[in-house]
């Protein structure tokens, strides 16, 4: 690969701070994801939360992928609008989101929507609301298999929930969902061992369930565990970050061969004192949940240190201070692309080294039509 592949020939047409989407890399990542499951696209349920773009959804659908996972109603909506066969909202819906979910079902009858529950009260409420609208809501049970973020543990409580669903005539039980995003060891063998150890009880429970529910599905993991779960043919996998890729996973998940498709564009806006340059990349433009040295990796800077960020500024200590001018363009890979994408309204689409289009990041909005 050309060491300067990220440079944009007509950079004067690209504002900053912004994100540029490299079309060739995006298409490569989609093809790679499909090839990793040997073309069995029914085993893929990519997460929309990373890209949030209708135009990316069109490319995913064009590759033969028809089922998707989402975190929000808006993400589910853009998938249905693009023609997705099935969308699973992997977030326990509360408050007005329950009614929004049911309206989504009514408006897009050709898309099979589902969501998850992990307790009796949520199941009862969704069943009641679906009954009032004369609908049947598809649900998965969220399993807590070690992350302790959401879900119900394997045990008597899960048995009770399964039995309760049998009397919920407006709910259709689809299977189990187990997310293991806390397992991110750089060594794949170590990571794989931990993943399989934590999912073992889920698999045993799931296999027993299939006696009564032969069509039940087991949806597992995200991008870090994609390379583990794809090895087991009865599991549906949910990679998401790999569509765009980022510095964080590129550093950790070395067995995955994806390319950086989303690059931050920023410009030098000041040289306030010797050895210091300031860019227009503040923490409103790149995810700031990590320490300052784990937010962005600049591709065309050497020997630098990102000292601080405020809302609209990034202060960088550099060598060879004299060679930098106000207006110079810097390119950077975000450490975490998912929340970084969510900070922008659109991306510049780069093809053959030039900006050729602009795509809206539609689902960064909390609410679209529903």
């Amino acid at each position: 690969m050309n060491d300067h592949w990220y440079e944009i020939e007509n950079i004067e047409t690209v504002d900053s701070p912004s994100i540029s989407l490299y079309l060739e890399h995006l298409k490569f990542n989609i093809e790679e994801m499909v090839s990793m499951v040997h073309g069995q696209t029914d085993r893929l349920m990519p997460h929309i939360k990373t890209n949030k773009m209708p135009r990316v959804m069109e490319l995913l659908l064009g590759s033969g992928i028809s089922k998707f996972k989402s975190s929000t109603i808006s993400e589910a909506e853009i998938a249905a609008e693009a023609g997705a066969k099935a969308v699973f909202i992997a977030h326990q819906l509360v408050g007005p989101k329950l009614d929004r979910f049911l309206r989504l079902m009514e408006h897009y009858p050709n898309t099979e929507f589902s969501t998850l529950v992990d307790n009796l009260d949520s199941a009862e409420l969704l069943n009641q609301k679906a009954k009032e609208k004369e609908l049947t809501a598809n649900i998965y049970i969220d399993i807590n298999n070690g992350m302790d973020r959401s879900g119900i543990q394997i045990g008597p409580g899960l048995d009770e929930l399964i039995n309760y669903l049998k009397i919920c005539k407006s709910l259709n039980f689809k299977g189990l969902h187990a997310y293991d995003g806390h397992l991110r060891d750089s060594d794949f063998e170590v990571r794989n061992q931990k993943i399989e150890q934590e999912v073992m009880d889920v698999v045993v429970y799931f296999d027993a369930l299939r006696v009564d529910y032969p069509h039940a599905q087991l949806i597992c993991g995200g991008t870090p565990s994609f390379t583990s779960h794809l090895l087991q043919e009865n599991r549906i996998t949910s990679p998401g970050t790999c569509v765009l890729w980022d510095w964080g996973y590129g550093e950790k998940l070395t067995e995955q061969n994806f390319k950086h498709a989303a690059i931050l564009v920023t410009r030098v806006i000041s040289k306030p004192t010797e050895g210091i340059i300031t860019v227009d990349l503040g923490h409103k433009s790149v995810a700031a949940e990590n320490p300052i040295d784990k937010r962005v990796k600049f591709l065309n800077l050497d020997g630098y240190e990102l000292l601080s960020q405020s809302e609209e500024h990034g202060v960088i200590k550099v060598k060879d201070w004299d060679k930098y001018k106000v207006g110079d363009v810097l390119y950077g890979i975000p450490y975490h692309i998912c929340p970084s994408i969510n900070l922008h309204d659109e991306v510049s689409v780069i093809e053959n080294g030039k900006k050729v289009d602009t795509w809206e990041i539609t689902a960064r909005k909390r609410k679209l039509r529903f």
Side-chain angles (χ1 to χ4, degrees), residues 8-170:
I8 301 169
E9 188 174 330
N10 53 344
I11 189 63
E12 71 280 358
T13 66
V14 179
D15 204 353
S16 61
S18 66
I19 293 181
S20 288
L21 183 66
Y22 292 72
L23 194 57
E24 291 92 347
H25 286 195
L26 171 63
K27 291 178 177 178
F28 173 89
N29 291 344
I30 294 172
E31 291 171 2
E32 178 69 10
M33 186 169 56
V34 171
S35 71
M36 288 171 73
V37 294
H38 306 291
Q40 296 176 298
T41 52
D42 59 324
R43 294 194 57 214
L44 287 171
M45 188 179 277
H47 209 312
I48 305 167
K49 73 180 179 69
T50 300
N51 74 82
K52 298 178 181 288
M53 288 176 265
R55 295 294 298 272
V56 175
M57 297 304 301
E58 291 173 8
L59 291 173
L60 288 163
L61 285 160
S63 74
I65 300 169
S66 61
K67 300 180 295 187
F68 299 91
K69 182 192 283 191
S70 76
S71 293
T72 68
I73 302 289
S74 295
E75 291 166 3
E77 189 173 336
I78 67 165
E81 191 70 32
K85 179 181 177 181
V87 183
F88 167 47
I89 303 178
H91 206 271
Q92 188 153 250
L93 303 176
V94 294
K97 290 185 180 67
L98 288 164
D99 295 317
R100 293 175 63 194
F101 174 68
L102 295 172
R103 289 199 298 271
L104 204 61
M105 289 175 57
E106 290 177 312
H107 189 81
Y108 295 101
N110 294 327
T111 298
E112 181 187 89
F113 293 98
S114 55
T115 187
L116 55 76
V117 299
D118 69 6
N119 68 91
L120 294 173
D121 290 342
S122 293
E124 180 183 15
L125 182 57
L126 181 56
N127 182 66
Q128 176 189 328
K129 285 183 171 289
K131 182 179 179 181
E132 290 170 358
K133 285 186 168 287
E134 299 182 345
L135 295 172
T136 299
N138 298 307
I139 62 103
Y140 290 82
I141 293 178
D142 192 23
I143 304 296
N144 177 6
N145 65 315
M147 192 171 185
D148 295 337
R149 186 178 71 177
S150 66
I152 186 170
Q153 294 180 332
I154 302 289
L158 177 56
D159 295 336
E160 185 181 6
L161 180 55
I162 291 283
N163 288 329
Y164 180 72
L165 292 178
K166 294 177 182 178
I167 66 171
C168 294
K169 302 304 181 183
S170 295

Side-chain angles (χ1 to χ4, degrees), residues 143-259:
I143 304 296
N144 177 6
N145 65 315
M147 192 171 185
D148 295 337
R149 186 178 71 177
S150 66
I152 186 170
Q153 294 180 332
I154 302 289
L158 177 56
D159 295 336
E160 185 181 6
L161 180 55
I162 291 283
N163 288 329
Y164 180 72
L165 292 178
K166 294 177 182 178
I167 66 171
C168 294
K169 302 304 181 183
S170 295
L171 299 183
N172 178 38
F173 175 61
K174 294 279 291 181
L176 305 180
H177 171 257
Y179 183 67
D180 45 23
H182 58 300
L183 302 175
R184 305 181 183 189
D185 297 80
S186 296
D187 187 311
F188 173 69
E189 296 302 325
V190 173
R191 185 180 352 124
N192 184 58
Q193 184 177 9
K194 289 182 178 179
I195 289 166
E196 289 305 312
Q197 183 177 351
E198 291 208 358
V199 81
M200 186 181 304
D201 289 345
V202 182
V203 171
V204 171
Y205 196 95
F206 175 72
D207 288 342
L209 264 182
R210 296 190 74 182
V211 174
D212 293 328
Y213 300 94
H215 300 295
Q217 297 176 328
L218 179 59
I219 303 171
C220 290
T223 301
S225 56
F226 176 41
T227 29
S228 291
H229 294 306
L230 64 80
L231 300 175
Q232 308 299 324
E233 292 197 356
N234 65 335
R235 300 177 196 172
I236 294 175
T237 60
S238 296
T241 304
C242 60
V243 173
L244 299 182
W245 212 224
D246 57 24
W247 170 25
Y249 280 171
E251 187 177 68
K252 288 181 180 295
L253 313 180
T254 54
E255 83 282 358
Q256 297 190 22
N257 182 36
F258 296 103
K259 296 182 178 181

Side-chain angles (χ1 to χ4, degrees), residues 329-342:
V329 177
L330 300 181
Y331 300 87
I333 305 171
Y335 189 84
H336 193 184
I337 186 57
C338 308
S340 297
I341 278 284
N342 200 56

